[in-house]
Structure formats: C-alpha cells, structure tokens
Amino acid sequence: LGLLAALGLNIENLQVTADVPDWYHPGRSGTLRLGPKTVLGWFAEQLGPEMPQVEELGVRSVFKGWPTFTPDGRFIVGASYGAESPIRNPAAVMWRDGEIRALGQVDWSTHSDAKSVSSDGSVVVGSALVANEWVAFVWTPGRGVRTVDEMLRREFGVDTTGWRFTEATAVSRDGRTIVGREGKALRLSF
C-alpha cells in the first residue's frame, strides 16, 4: 500500500472484487481495483507444491506450484512433472491451444521453471538449475532455450564479464524487456 501511495494513488479507493478472468480459479482469486473501473491486477491462492490438473483448460499435466498466465489466458507457462518433462525433475513448459509442450533445457540443467511469458507467447523467461547454480534463461520459438548471459553476449554483443544472471522473473508484454536477479549474495536486479 505504501508503494501505491508513494505513486500518488488514492489508496482509500482500493477495492478487492471477486470478478476475475475465466482462467483464474473461482473463489480462490480476486481483482485489485482502484475504484470500480481501474484494474491494478489479479491475484490467486498459491496451491502448495503441486497443483492438480488444470482440466478446465485442457491441460493433461501436473504443474509444480501455480503457473503464470498471459492477460488473455491464451498462454500458460510454468514447470511440469508431466510426460513433457524429459527428466524426472520439473521442466519449463508452455500451454497453448489445448496442448502443453516442454520448452527445452539449458546446458545440462536438472530443473527448470518458466516464470513469465509475453502477450503473444513469443518470449518466455525463467530459471534453470545447472550444476547446483541457478541461471536465468530466455526461450523464443526460433532460438529455443538459452541463458540470458548467452543471449546478451551472442545476440546483442554485451560484455557480461563479472555478471551472473540467476533468475529471470518477468518479461514485458511485447517481449522486449526482461527483469530478474543477478548475483549470489547481493541479489541485484537487472
């Protein structure tokens, strides 16, 4: 609330309503509004270490934790223990048009989790466990999965010496901006 007030919003107008998009679980989610018309966002209950099948969306897999949705509900990303996982540990997956598919693994990773997806499903970001170290990854249809470090060096010519990108937590709707964490002890944001 302090952040909203610091941004100059009148927090006395905050409302929580039960009307949510169809892809949220009824009764376990809500909409945060600033007055009756302005939607600030949606929230949902975290369902423990494993979520049951998301049958109403046609997903025939078990998601680990709670997956992330695009605003229109066309794409869902997360981690799955299902048949899509090429390893026994959770693997990053994306649901689209009634089908779920593994996004692939980063260099010998033993666990991966997709954290965010662009509105059109063309960019997915997350983190993967490689040799007991977390690394941030990005996935695109043409290039597949690669680390954020690899993308910055090879595709944009950025010198990443001294940086260690550990987690990509969000991608913008247009897929052009990625945010996450860098470092081990300090946990800086990028």
Side-chain angles (χ1 to χ4, degrees), residues 85-137:
S85 176
I87 54 178
R88 292 189 182 264
N89 293 324
V93 294
M94 177 167 56
W95 176 89
R96 177 184 182 176
D97 300 325
E99 293 187 24
I100 191 167
R101 65 174 248 177
L103 297 178
Q105 296 292 332
V106 175
D107 305 322
W108 306 102
S109 62
T110 57
H111 175 119
S112 60
D113 190 359
K115 305 279 187 180
S116 184
V117 59
S118 61
S119 290
D120 65 358
S122 66
V123 179
V124 176
V125 298
S127 55
L129 188 60
V130 178
N132 293 321
E133 297 282 334
W134 287 101
V135 295
F137 76 79

Side-chain angles (χ1 to χ4, degrees), residues 3-22:
L3 175 62
L4 295 175
L7 292 171
L9 301 174
N10 184 355
I11 60 172
E12 293 186 21
N13 289 340
L14 282 179
Q15 300 175 5
V16 176
T17 60
D19 58 316
V20 293
D22 292 340

Side-chain angles (χ1 to χ4, degrees), residues 133-183:
E133 297 282 334
W134 287 101
V135 295
F137 76 79
V138 61
W139 172 92
T140 56
R143 292 197 168 108
V145 175
R146 65 237 185 253
T147 65
V148 167
D149 181 76
E150 179 183 354
M151 177 194 67
L152 290 171
R153 285 184 296 106
R154 291 187 182 172
E155 296 168 35
F156 296 100
V158 175
D159 180 6
T160 59
T161 304
W163 288 82
R164 203 172 134 269
F165 303 98
T166 56
E167 182 181 23
T169 56
V171 62
S172 61
R173 288 182 181 202
D174 65 7
R176 297 178 56 164
T177 304
I178 298 171
V179 296
R181 293 190 177 96
E182 186 281 335

Side-chain angles (χ1 to χ4, degrees), residues 14-44:
L14 282 179
Q15 300 175 5
V16 176
T17 60
D19 58 316
V20 293
D22 292 340
W23 60 88
Y24 282 105
H25 191 291
R28 293 187 179 176
S29 56
T31 300
L32 183 62
R33 297 177 177 277
L34 189 61
K37 294 182 181 178
T38 305
V39 174
L40 296 177
W42 299 283
F43 59 91

